[in-house]
Amino acid sequence: MALRKAQAEAFRKGEYYWAYDGRGGFPERRRPKSVDQLWEDPVIQELMTHSVLDMNGVSPAGEEPDILQAAPLSPEVTREVFGSERPTRADYDRAADAKWDVIEDRGYGCYVVLYREDMPDEIAFFGVTGD
């Protein structure tokens, strides 16, 4: 559910790579009106969106993550990267560079629960699906 919510927000805000923005060598074109229309485009299917939209699902905790799946960070990695097993949004923002070190290859994503006043508040997704 959290993944779908993050995807809907990224789509709504236009926070994804759009090959037809005049910079990628393709003719300019308006963005699609739905996620389904987005994925109908063969160029987008090949180049992807370089965003949370590229994730097809969530890998179970403790299992080897599948490609194009977001996997939860272990408590140990969460503590190492964010300084706490219950990181806040501020911890996440401070770790802007360090969090990328946990991504081993393109096509993989991670997520971490962020806390506010020691209560779960949001889920942050990050990964690498493009150049």
Side-chain angles (χ1 to χ4, degrees):
M1 175 118 173
L3 176 62
R4 298 296 172 236
K5 182 178 176 183
Q7 289 173 323
E9 184 174 338
F11 182 80
R12 183 181 55 78
K13 291 181 175 180
E15 294 175 342
Y16 59 91
Y17 171 72
W18 180 238
Y20 305 100
D21 65 2
R23 295 178 289 171
F26 297 97
E28 287 190 49
R29 189 184 321 166
R30 296 179 76 151
R31 288 180 184 252
K33 294 183 181 192
S34 71
V35 173
D36 289 338
Q37 286 178 344
L38 174 74
W39 288 114
E40 288 173 2
D41 188 289
V43 171
I44 298 302
Q45 290 172 16
E46 182 177 335
L47 298 179
M48 306 191 76
T49 69
H50 307 199
S51 76
V52 70
L53 292 167
D54 297 337
M55 294 291 110
N56 293 325
V58 175
S59 290
E63 291 187 18
E64 190 69 29
D66 289 329
I67 193 161
L68 298 180
Q69 298 266 320
L73 294 180
S74 70
E76 297 79 23
V77 171
T78 301
R79 187 174 44 257
E80 180 182 323
V81 173
F82 302 106
S84 170
E85 287 184 23
R86 292 180 168 221
T88 64
R89 168 51 75 172
D91 296 329
Y92 181 82
D93 292 342
R94 266 193 303 277
D97 293 329
K99 69 184 177 207
W100 299 109
D101 293 340
V102 302
I103 306 292
E104 295 182 19
D105 204 359
R106 294 190 192 299
Y108 292 89
C110 298
Y111 69 90
V112 62
V113 175
L114 302 181
Y115 291 78
R116 180 184 298 182
E117 297 178 8
D118 211 31
M119 297 293 295
D121 185 54
E122 65 179 305
I123 299 175
F125 293 88
F126 61 100
V128 179
T129 59
D131 294 332

